[in-house]
Amino acid sequence: MPSFDIVSQVNSMEIENAVNQARKELANRFDFKGSNAEIVLEKNEIKLSAEDQFKVKALVEIVMGKLAKRQISLKNVEKGQPDVSPLGHARQVIKIKQGLEQAVAKQVTSLIREHKFKVTTQIQGEEIRVSGKSRDDLQAVIAAVRAKEFPVALQFQNFRD
């Protein structure tokens, strides 16, 4: 029985590459010379810190630009609020969303049910398994899901015939 999985994942190597490029740009930028601004990558979080709120804002723009250039969907990127200490030092966290949340998974499965495709859907943790009798039905499901806008970027994997 043909099947495929709908997932929402971000390539961690691409995130690492984007952060490294942002660090290189930070080292070369004139407005950051002599400041103790830094970009740190920890698992699925990018932590930014700088001397003031304006520099943190500039760091966010640098990182977001590099993520976009590395083909990382900005739907999977969540910017936190900047934290400013009484001394003026500022920090901000950018979270990378991995996996489908239950609410989004339910939206996707209800969309598939509304279109009345001859397929079955199962939510399996952070992914959705779609299986059907014909390959054409599965391709129609992929087209319908791509046409609708969701709060995270979706990928289709493990297409089995």
Side-chain angles (χ1 to χ4, degrees):
M1 189 170 219
S3 68
F4 69 91
D5 296 333
I6 301 174
V7 296
S8 177
Q9 295 176 336
V10 179
N11 187 346
S12 60
M13 289 306 297
E14 291 295 333
I15 295 169
E16 202 173 307
N17 291 339
V19 168
N20 287 337
Q21 286 179 344
R23 283 187 191 130
K24 282 181 185 176
E25 184 173 330
L26 174 66
N28 292 332
R29 289 229 344 210
F30 179 75
D31 53 343
F32 285 102
K33 290 279 189 238
S35 70
N36 59 349
E38 67 177 352
I39 302 170
V40 179
L41 175 65
E42 292 179 6
K43 278 237 173 192
N44 290 327
E45 288 186 340
I46 302 170
K47 296 183 179 182
L48 311 172
S49 63
E51 294 165 351
D52 56 43
Q53 191 171 356
F54 300 110
K55 287 190 178 177
V56 166
K57 197 172 183 182
L59 284 177
V60 168
E61 289 177 14
I62 292 170
V63 171
M64 296 303 268
K66 298 301 180 190
L67 289 172
K69 278 186 182 176
R70 302 293 305 181
Q71 306 300 311
I72 295 172
S73 175
L74 297 183
K75 288 181 180 180
N76 289 18
V77 177
E78 185 179 301
K79 292 187 284 188
Q81 292 296 320
D83 298 329
V84 182
S85 71
L87 299 174
H89 193 80
R91 289 186 304 256
Q92 188 166 354
V93 175
I94 298 174
K95 292 183 180 175
I96 310 295
K97 296 183 215 169
Q98 295 278 27
L100 272 176
E101 296 173 1
Q102 284 292 336
V104 178
K106 287 179 182 176
Q107 285 178 1
V108 173
T109 55
S110 65
L111 170 80
I112 293 170
R113 267 192 234 108
E114 285 171 12
H115 282 288
K116 296 188 172 129
F117 293 114
K118 294 179 182 174
V119 297
T120 59
T121 58
Q122 295 175 308
I123 299 174
Q124 299 177 335
E126 295 185 339
E127 63 183 37
I128 301 170
R129 169 76 40 94
V130 181
S131 53
K133 288 188 178 176
S134 79
R135 187 179 202 171
D136 295 337
D137 291 340
L138 297 180
Q139 289 174 340
V141 168
I142 290 174
V145 170
R146 280 197 176 134
K148 180 105 169 65
E149 197 68 31
F150 290 101
V152 293
L154 299 175
Q155 292 89 29
F156 306 96
Q157 295 180 339
N158 293 341
F159 196 97
R160 296 199 176 113
D161 224 356

